[in-house]
Amino acid sequence: MSISLQKGQKVSLSKDNAGLSKIIVGLGWDEVQQSSSGGGFLSALFGGGSKQQPIDCDASALMLKNGKLVDKSDIVYFGNLHHKSGTVNHQGDNLTGAGDGDDEQIVIDLAKVPQEYDKIVIVVNIYQAVQRHQHFGMIENAFIRLVDARKLNHFLDTSHFKTPLLFSTDASLKNPEIPLLKHLYQFT
C-alpha cells in the first residue's frame, strides 16, 4: 500500500507495516531540459554558450539526540557513507540524476538504531547550488520514497509534488539554500 504524503502530514511507518525493521529511502530527480538555442557566435565567444553543470541533488540523514544534532559524525551523506552505529548507510552519490528509479538511496535499519537517537531527519539539497546558480525549480520528476526493504514495495511516496520541496510558493523553489526535510521519529 502506498501513501501519498501531504505537506506537514505525519504518518506512522509501523501502523500498516507490522514487523517493519529496515527501510530504504530513495531519492530521484531529472534535470529540466533547457532549450538548445546555443546563443550564437557572440554568446559562445563571451561565455554565454557554455553548458551548465548537471544538477547534483544529495540525500543525507541526520541522526538526532533529543531533537538535536550533537556530532557531525551523526550526519550520513556522500562524504560519510556509514553511521558509526552501522544502522544508517548511504549507497553512494549520483552526480546527475540520470537514469530511471532511485538516483540515491539511504538504508536505515530501524530495529537497530540506538535508543539515544530519537529522530532521523532526511535532507535533500543541491550540491553547490549557490555557486552553480541552481535551484529546485530546475528539476522535474522528483521524488522521495520509503521502501520496506523486506518486501521491496514502497509505502510512502512524494512523487506527486512537482519538485521535492514541500513549499507552496514558486519563490521557495528558486531559493537554493532551502533544503527538503523529512523526519523519522523513534517511539518506544
Side-chain angles (χ1 to χ4, degrees):
M1 179 183 105
S2 178
I3 300 167
S4 290
L5 187 65
Q6 301 298 316
K7 180 180 175 181
Q9 179 181 355
K10 292 182 181 179
V11 174
S12 171
L13 297 182
S14 59
K15 182 179 177 185
D16 294 321
N17 298 288
L20 180 67
S21 61
K22 188 181 281 190
I23 61 171
I24 300 168
V25 179
L27 164 66
W29 76 95
D30 293 316
E31 190 170 337
V32 173
Q33 296 302 312
Q34 304 294 324
S35 63
S36 59
S37 61
F41 174 74
L42 290 177
S43 180
L45 184 64
F46 294 108
S50 62
K51 171 130 174 57
Q52 185 175 1
Q53 290 182 314
I55 296 176
D56 176 10
C57 289
D58 290 314
S60 305
L62 287 66
M63 309 234 350
L64 307 183
K65 295 178 181 178
N66 296 318
K68 295 183 187 318
L69 181 64
V70 177
D71 188 79
K72 68 180 182 180
S73 68
D74 289 333
I75 303 172
V76 178
Y77 68 109
F78 66 87
N80 179 32
L81 295 175
H82 309 287
H83 188 262
K84 59 190 173 195
S85 68
T87 60
V88 178
N89 296 288
H90 195 294
Q91 302 302 299
D93 193 15
N94 180 314
L95 303 176
T96 65
D100 293 332
D102 295 342
D103 295 313
E104 293 194 11
Q105 292 183 334
I106 298 175
V107 179
I108 303 173
D109 191 340
L110 297 171
K112 295 181 181 175
V113 172
Q115 286 294 316
E116 68 229 43
Y117 296 101
D118 62 331
K119 188 186 298 185
I120 301 173
V121 179
I122 305 301
V123 179
V124 177
N125 66 290
I126 297 175
Y127 180 73
Q128 294 187 334
V130 174
Q131 297 91 326
R132 296 178 179 188
H133 305 287
Q134 297 173 342
H135 53 79
F136 284 109
M138 299 169 80
I139 61 175
E140 61 186 359
N141 304 322
F143 65 87
I144 296 173
R145 66 190 189 119
L146 298 183
V147 177
D148 183 339
R150 298 170 303 164
K151 305 173 190 174
L152 294 180
N153 62 321
H154 72 279
F155 56 88
L156 185 72
D157 193 351
T158 62
S159 61
H160 63 285
F161 293 107
K162 66 179 181 176
T163 72
L165 274 176
L166 308 184
F167 295 97
S168 59
T169 65
D170 287 338
S172 296
L173 298 176
K174 294 183 179 177
N175 185 342
E177 297 176 3
I178 300 176
L180 162 70
L181 303 173
K182 290 210 171 293
H183 303 258
L184 302 175
Y185 298 89
Q186 177 167 288
F187 297 105
T188 54

